[in-house]
Amino acid sequence: MHHKFRLSILTLALGLEPVLARADTNADILREIEALKAKVQQLEAQVKSQQTQIEENQRATAEAGQTADRADVQLSGVKQALETSGFRGLTITGMIAPAYVYNQAQQSGSFVFLNRSNGAAGDSTIYNYDNSYFGSAYISFAKETEEGTKWTLVLAPDRGAGAISNGSSIVHEASVSIPLEGDKTTRLIAGQIPDWEGYESTWGNQMKPITHNLLFDFAELTSYTGVGIDMVRGKWEVKAMLANMNSPRYYYSGNGGRAPAAVVRADYAIPGYDNAGVGFWGMVGKLPNANVSPADGATALYRTGTSSAAMFEVDGFVAKGDWGYYGQIGYGQQTGAAYNGDTAKWWGLSGMMTYNFSPRWLGFARADYLNNKKNGGGLPGGYMNVSSSGQGFNGVNGFGPGYVRDPLTGEWVTGDSNAGANRYALSLGMNYLYNQSTSLKLEYRYDRASRASFLNTSDGSYRKYNNLLAASVVVSF
């Protein structure tokens, strides 16, 4: 490099010879030569600096390449470790939702969080509208393999489908979904799957109110345990199962039994809206019947502890701009599940409207009606009713024949066993989005029955109405 520049300087000097010849004095020539030497030295210094910078850049590039190679090896090791340990394709989500509930008729005001939904493991349920799925926590594990098989496990201590239908089980959902076609639009589904009915979800981070509507709490099922199919065709999704309803395995007083049911759900996504859809649901088959017990002498008629049932339901929702509209109507009947031992029949509807006052503030209003007058009242599974042993209702939920005051003794006695109470409910509330993962909720609820079926614990009387106030903080990830 230096030799090349010396030759360039010599050439330059030769080119300047005529100029030097015209110089007047030797002093002028010397000054010009010195100036030329200084210029040459400056150029040599610049070239040397550039050469040094090039060499440093080359070293840095080589080191960066080595670092990238090491990072790629490490990343490959991480990927391999994830694959080997089974974490690839795994998604974990969860929620925690402590609540406070004040029930006027029950004279109770309490924080509600992970309290037992059953009196004891395997005992009868004490699920009430003021002791529903709120005050809960869950964690969900979902994994999808490269072949498209999906696996889901949702754990919810003292809440969820397992706690309601399987003693004290913490398993809300345990299911698999296996593709049967290359495009994954047809799947085999199996396991314990939460109920498909209605417009309301189970968990607080997926719904606006704190409490659930009357149909969700009392006229819907809890879970299905069985096998089925899930098909997606355009804007339609159809799911169907042959399964046990509300029970992981049917058995009754050691007799076992065969009591499956067929259940189907069809959903259609309505075009032209921000978010809109309509769903159709139906079930035909056997349901557990809590009214059946050896004391009734009904073991011959309902040997497996189940009885025939048929249920149908339609729901839908429309979200457009700041407004949201939700609706549901359902009908059902079950043999031997009524208060008087006859067929229980019910129908009801629920509607909710929401409005976003701002990106953080949302208000809602929900109205429900559940007709349960037939044969003294009765609901799916008969769990809100009693047998001929004569035990009374718990007086919390407002169903059954209600109570009347005896004109002679002044005591409260059971009303007409052939006429049950119809139920109404109105909920008003607000949601505040504190941040992307946290919501604060407040709800006032007014419940009413056509018969005096709410127990007023302050004096032991019964009345037709009740008031409830609830607040909750919902944190999810």
Side-chain angles (χ1 to χ4, degrees), residues 34-367:
E34 292 298 328
L36 184 59
K37 288 181 178 180
K39 187 65 174 176
V40 170
Q41 291 174 353
Q42 182 181 1
L43 291 172
E44 288 180 338
Q46 290 178 353
V47 170
K48 186 175 182 180
S49 176
Q50 292 175 356
Q51 181 66 23
T52 301
Q53 185 64 43
I54 291 172
E55 293 174 353
E56 291 178 353
N57 289 341
Q58 289 175 343
R59 287 194 299 270
T61 301
E63 292 176 357
Q66 294 173 356
T67 302
D69 290 340
R70 288 194 297 268
D72 185 60
V73 172
Q74 293 174 351
L75 182 59
S76 298
V78 171
K79 290 180 178 179
Q80 185 177 3
L82 287 174
E83 185 72 25
T84 303
S85 60
F87 286 106
R88 184 176 181 181
L90 179 65
T91 302
I92 302 176
T93 58
M95 181 209 70
I96 185 171
Y100 181 87
V101 176
Y102 170 74
N103 186 321
Q104 184 186 43
Q106 292 294 306
Q107 291 292 293
S108 65
S110 172
F111 288 100
V112 178
F113 185 61
L114 298 183
N115 58 298
R116 294 192 63 83
S117 58
N118 291 332
D123 198 0
S124 59
T125 181
I126 55 171
Y127 183 101
N128 300 317
Y129 78 89
D130 70 337
N131 186 42
S132 181
Y133 289 105
F134 50 82
S136 60
Y138 79 82
I139 186 166
S140 172
F141 303 90
K143 179 179 173 64
E144 182 173 0
T145 65
E146 291 183 356
E147 297 80 12
T149 297
K150 297 179 180 179
W151 174 90
T152 302
L153 176 65
V154 182
L155 305 179
D158 293 311
R159 289 295 189 273
I164 303 303
S165 63
N166 190 22
S168 57
S169 171
I170 68 171
V171 178
H172 176 68
E173 177 178 0
S175 64
V176 293
S177 175
I178 305 170
L180 299 180
E181 295 182 355
D183 58 3
K184 303 177 184 179
T185 58
T186 302
R187 292 175 168 271
L188 176 73
I189 55 176
Q192 176 179 298
I193 298 176
D195 183 37
W196 295 330
E197 297 177 76
Y199 68 84
E200 282 190 342
S201 300
T202 299
W203 307 116
N205 59 339
Q206 300 167 10
M207 57 179 289
K208 304 302 186 292
I210 299 173
T211 68
H212 284 89
N213 66 61
L214 286 176
L215 275 68
F216 182 99
D217 279 337
F218 305 115
E220 295 181 7
L221 303 181
T222 302
S223 64
Y224 322 132
T225 303
V227 63
I229 195 166
D230 183 350
M231 298 183 296
V232 176
R233 299 291 186 272
K235 296 185 178 297
W236 283 95
E237 180 179 9
V238 178
K239 298 178 287 187
M241 290 185 71
L242 183 65
N244 301 344
M245 300 286 105
N246 289 359
S247 179
R249 180 174 182 176
Y250 283 132
Y251 53 88
Y252 183 62
S253 299
N255 293 324
R258 298 184 302 275
V263 59
V264 63
R265 168 90 191 189
D267 287 281
Y268 177 72
I270 303 174
Y273 295 90
D274 297 341
N275 195 13
V278 59
F280 308 89
W281 177 92
M283 187 281 296
V284 177
K286 300 283 189 176
L287 280 182
N289 188 345
N291 287 4
V292 179
S293 69
D296 296 331
T299 54
L301 184 59
Y302 306 112
R303 187 182 65 82
T304 64
T306 64
S307 61
S308 298
M311 299 171 61
F312 305 95
E313 180 261 357
V314 179
D315 60 79
F317 66 95
V318 175
K320 193 171 183 64
D322 293 326
W323 292 93
Y325 307 91
Y326 307 81
Q328 173 181 356
I329 184 169
Y331 167 84
Q333 65 178 51
Q334 183 176 4
T335 304
Y339 177 81
N340 65 5
D342 206 336
T343 299
K345 294 184 179 181
W346 62 89
W347 67 270
L349 52 87
S350 174
M352 184 175 71
M353 180 176 63
T354 66
Y355 180 74
N356 285 284
F357 296 97
S358 72
R360 291 184 179 271
W361 285 101
L362 176 141
F364 67 85
R366 183 184 66 198

Side-chain angles (χ1 to χ4, degrees), residues 363-376:
F364 67 85
R366 183 184 66 198
D368 309 323
Y369 172 72
L370 184 54
N371 186 297
N372 196 223
K373 182 178 180 179
K374 189 72 172 179
N375 293 322

Side-chain angles (χ1 to χ4, degrees), residues 339 376 386 390-393 399-406 411-419 451-452 462:
Y339 177 81
V386 295
Q391 297 175 344
F393 291 88
F399 290 98
Y403 293 83
V404 295
R405 189 183 290 274
D406 189 307
E411 296 180 355
W412 290 91
V413 296
T414 306
D416 183 0
S417 61
N418 296 314
R451 307 177 74 85
Y462 287 84

